[in-house]
Each structure stands twice: as C-alpha cells, then as structure tokens.
Amino acid sequence: MSNIMNYSYLIQNMFGEKNSIWGTGSALPGAFQFSQLNSGVVQSQLKAAGIDTGSRQYKAVIQKMAEGGCTSGMFTNVQAIKNLMKQYNSDGDYVGADGSVVPGMLVSGDADSSSWHKMIDVSEEYRQKIFDMVKEEFIKENGVANGDTTNRSSVYRAYQFSIDKSDRLKGTWSLQQYESKYSKALYDAVKAANPDWKVGKSFDTSILDNVTRESVEANLKISSNTLKSIDVKV
Amino acid sequence: MKAVSKKALTAVIACMMACVMFVTPVFAATNYFSKTTVKLNAYNGGSSTVSALSSGSVSGSERSITSVSLYCNVSRGSDPYTLYVQSPEGTTAILDGPTSSTTLTSNAFAGEDPEGKWKIWIVNSGYTTHGNVYPVSTVTVTLKVYYEY
C-alpha cells in the first residue's frame, strides 16, 4: 500500500518560517492563512507541489476563492488549491472535474437569461441534426417528451463545441427555438390527421413523412429574440 | 363633482369590461417536476459526485422554464462550497452554496426546455470556517423546475 507523505512542513522549517497554527495549536502540514498566499514560503510550497502560479488555472482559482469569501485570516492548503485547479482548463475556464461544463456556458445563478436570448444564425447541419433527433424521438415515444431517453444534451453539447465560445449561450437559445418549433409541427401534423389522438398513443408514422425541416422552417420567421410561426391564428 | 366622479367610474368599468371581452389573455398551462440528489460530499477543494436527475416525461410540445428552485439541506459544520446546476441544454449556473439549509432560486434557465437530464454537484471552496482539519462540505439538493407549455 502506498503511503503519501506531505513534506511541506519541512519546507516551512527550512525557510525558517513560523508554522501556521491550526485551531487547537497543532501545526497542519501544508496549511496556511490566505493572507500568506503571496509570501515566499507559500509560493515555494506551491511550486514544490508542481503548481504553476503564473497559469490561468491558478489565477482563476485564487480569484474564485477571494470572491467566494476566503478572507485573509481563513486557512487553506496547497492540496486544496491543486484540487481546485484540476477543474479548470488552461484558459482558466471552469470545466468541472469530469469536463461536463462547456466553456462559455457557465453563468451566475442570479443572471438574467434574457441577456443571451438573442437569435443568431444556426448552421444547417445542426438544425438538421436537432430536427432528426426530435422526429426520431417523437416517433419512438409516440409524442411523449421523455427526459429519461432523450439524446438532446449530446446534440447541444456537440453544437456548442462547433461554434465560438462567445456565441454559445446565444447559439443554444437559437437552436432550442428551432427544436421547439419542430416538435410543435410534428404534434400539429399528427393532431391534424387524427384529432382524437393523444400524446402517448400510437399513430400512423407515415403522417410525418411530409414533415421535413425545410417544410417547418418555411413557416418560421425570426421575431425579436424568438422564432415565430408565420401563420399565427388571431 | 360627484357627477364627474360617477362618469369617470363608469368609464373605467366600461373600459375594464371591454378589456375582459376583447383582450382576454391566453394563459399557458403550467407544471413542474421535483427531484432530489444523492448526498453530495466534497472535500478539500475537490468536487462531489455529479448527481444526474431526469425530468421524466414533461408535458406539451413547446415548453419553457419559468423558474428553478433548489432546496439545499446542508449538513452541520459544512465549509463553504459552490453549487453547480446544469440544464439538459448545457447551461451551467454557479451559485454560492449556503452553509445552512435554505432554498435558492435561479432565473438562469428561464425559457429553456426542461426535458432531459439535469446535473447537480458541489465543489468545496478549499478553505475552512469551521476549524475542520481539512475543509469539507456535505449537502443534499432538491431541484424543482417550473415550466409552462
């Protein structure tokens, strides 16, 4: 069994600095007060631990800690900084421990989403991909929007990586506008052919043969920040 | 003076009736789903496990989220942490995690379709306010997504 040793307290002693005192008075290896972050001792410890203090990852972590309320008297440690840095990419974007966050898609919890509710051009490739997915799932699930089986997250993720980071929030909003209209068009087509049809009941799938991405889009127009059907009934 | 008031009142009532008759708004139907994560435990600047929560079947063909609430059941003695919530479309909201149990709300997902898998996880902030040997945070989150269709 491997034994992981922390030698940072030796480095502290080597530099002749007083150990950080932890709670009951015992010295905790690798721990220091946030105010000591830029001291020579701590910077040496960080470098000894393989941390590049000039990297964007490091800067992003320290900025996040400071903004998050880590005041000068609070205690942190080298390994905590290292663990946090693993969740950032080389550009300093938070991507999560498993890489599930697409850069450009991270927003503050109290952000006003209307600021990115803007229609931008979505490539034909991804409009077609989302249409194919919507139609396939609509048929498979008899019109039920099933969160357990849908593949929509992976289509969105692929789309986000295909466009510029600064366009990802707006692009996602725009793609979702199309998705919503495709779904509505499929529902309307089945309902028009069979007015008694209810979501979840099987239907003759040939009804949807003539519902194509092009046919749906022919009846859409961009209105303000959304996509609207042209044949709006008043 | 009284006659003028009476006339004004009549005009207001007539106007309101006209509004009700001719401009009756179309109210969208609303619904919500609620799911709870496993216990999320993050330690010394690390991330907790990612809890995936399915919306299950959602109503309507044109859905739009109106609000999202997150009840955080925080274990006593938890150190600061950050809460991450990711919608099926990949929008990821970052919230300062409360260190005592409370409900947070977010408008970051307004207008999105709720269908699919939501992901929730926490990241320990890497410093301690409770005198723990190493900082640790533990919380269970109940996600409630309200939408109209």
Side-chain angles (χ1 to χ4, degrees), chain B residues 38-113:
Chain B
V38 294
K39 191 174 266 191
L40 305 172
N41 194 32
Y43 165 75
N44 202 29
S47 176
S48 70
T49 183
V50 176
S51 190
L53 306 172
S54 170
S55 65
S57 297
V58 286
S59 317
S61 55
E62 283 186 295
R63 296 165 293 273
S64 177
I65 294 172
T66 50
S67 70
V68 168
S69 79
L70 301 140
Y71 172 66
C72 302
N73 187 1
V74 185
S75 295
R76 188 180 293 183
S78 275
D79 282 308
Y81 61 95
T82 306
L83 175 65
Y84 292 89
V85 184
Q86 189 175 73
S87 72
E89 289 167 25
T91 306
T92 308
I94 177 171
L95 300 108
D96 288 333
T99 45
S100 60
S101 298
T102 192
T103 300
L104 305 174
T105 55
S106 176
N107 289 322
F109 307 103
E112 290 190 19
D113 184 343

Side-chain angles (χ1 to χ4, degrees), chain A:
Chain A
M1 202 168 118
S2 63
N3 189 15
I4 300 167
M5 297 293 289
N6 187 338
Y7 293 106
S8 53
Y9 68 102
L10 293 176
I11 296 169
Q12 280 184 331
N13 287 339
M14 197 168 70
F15 281 84
E17 294 281 328
K18 191 180 166 187
N19 285 344
S20 300
I21 302 303
W22 189 264
T24 58
S26 61
L28 178 73
F32 56 87
Q33 282 184 309
F34 197 58
S35 58
Q36 299 171 334
L37 182 70
N38 293 322
S39 70
V41 176
V42 173
Q43 288 292 304
S44 299
Q45 285 184 36
L46 295 170
K47 280 176 186 144
I51 292 173
D52 176 4
T53 53
S55 67
R56 288 179 182 173
Q57 287 159 300
Y58 173 78
K59 287 173 183 165
V61 165
I62 299 305
Q63 188 184 349
K64 176 82 178 68
M65 286 176 87
E67 286 173 357
C70 184
T71 56
S72 57
M74 289 183 184
F75 282 87
T76 184
N77 62 79
V78 174
Q79 190 57 46
I81 292 172
K82 219 172 168 178
N83 289 342
L84 286 164
M85 283 176 66
K86 285 177 192 165
Q87 299 166 54
Y88 289 77
N89 67 12
S90 55
D91 290 334
D93 294 312
Y94 178 81
V95 292
D98 62 351
S100 65
V101 180
V102 177
M105 293 302 292
L106 189 68
V107 296
S108 166
D110 55 9
D112 177 9
S113 58
S114 63
S115 62
W116 62 85
H117 286 185
K118 311 264 191 273
M119 287 299 292
I120 63 169
D121 281 339
V122 177
S123 67
E124 196 176 321
E125 179 193 359
Y126 276 94
R127 294 198 322 262
Q128 188 64 50
K129 277 185 179 173
I130 206 94
F131 176 81
D132 292 342
M133 183 214 73
V134 169
K135 190 170 180 179
E136 186 190 321
E137 292 183 355
F138 189 91
I139 292 170
K140 195 171 80 183
E141 301 285 345
N142 292 317
V144 175
N146 189 343
D148 296 338
T149 57
T150 184
N151 198 32
R152 56 195 302 268
S153 292
S154 57
V155 176
Y156 276 97
R157 186 176 168 85
Y159 169 64
Q160 286 151 8
F161 277 115
S162 76
I163 60 175
D164 196 69
K165 189 167 112 178
S166 60
D167 284 336
R168 286 174 183 163
L169 281 167
K170 287 181 213 153
T172 299
W173 167 255
S174 304
L175 184 61
Q176 191 236 309
Q177 293 294 300
Y178 282 100
E179 183 195 11
S180 173
K181 294 300 173 194
Y182 298 149
S183 175
K184 179 77 164 50
L186 295 167
Y187 173 85
D188 288 347
V190 179
K191 203 72 179 158
N194 182 2
D196 295 331
W197 176 74
K198 296 253 188 284
V199 167
K201 289 172 99 179
S202 61
F203 58 89
D204 177 5
T205 56
S206 66
I207 294 167
L208 301 179
D209 286 351
N210 293 327
V211 182
T212 62
R213 177 181 62 78
E214 290 84 351
S215 71
V216 180
E217 288 179 5
N219 288 314
L220 298 177
K221 67 167 183 178
I222 293 172
S223 171
S224 185
N225 300 326
T226 59
L227 209 50
K228 294 229 159 89
S229 302
I230 294 170
D231 53 346
V232 176
K233 294 185 181 83
V234 180

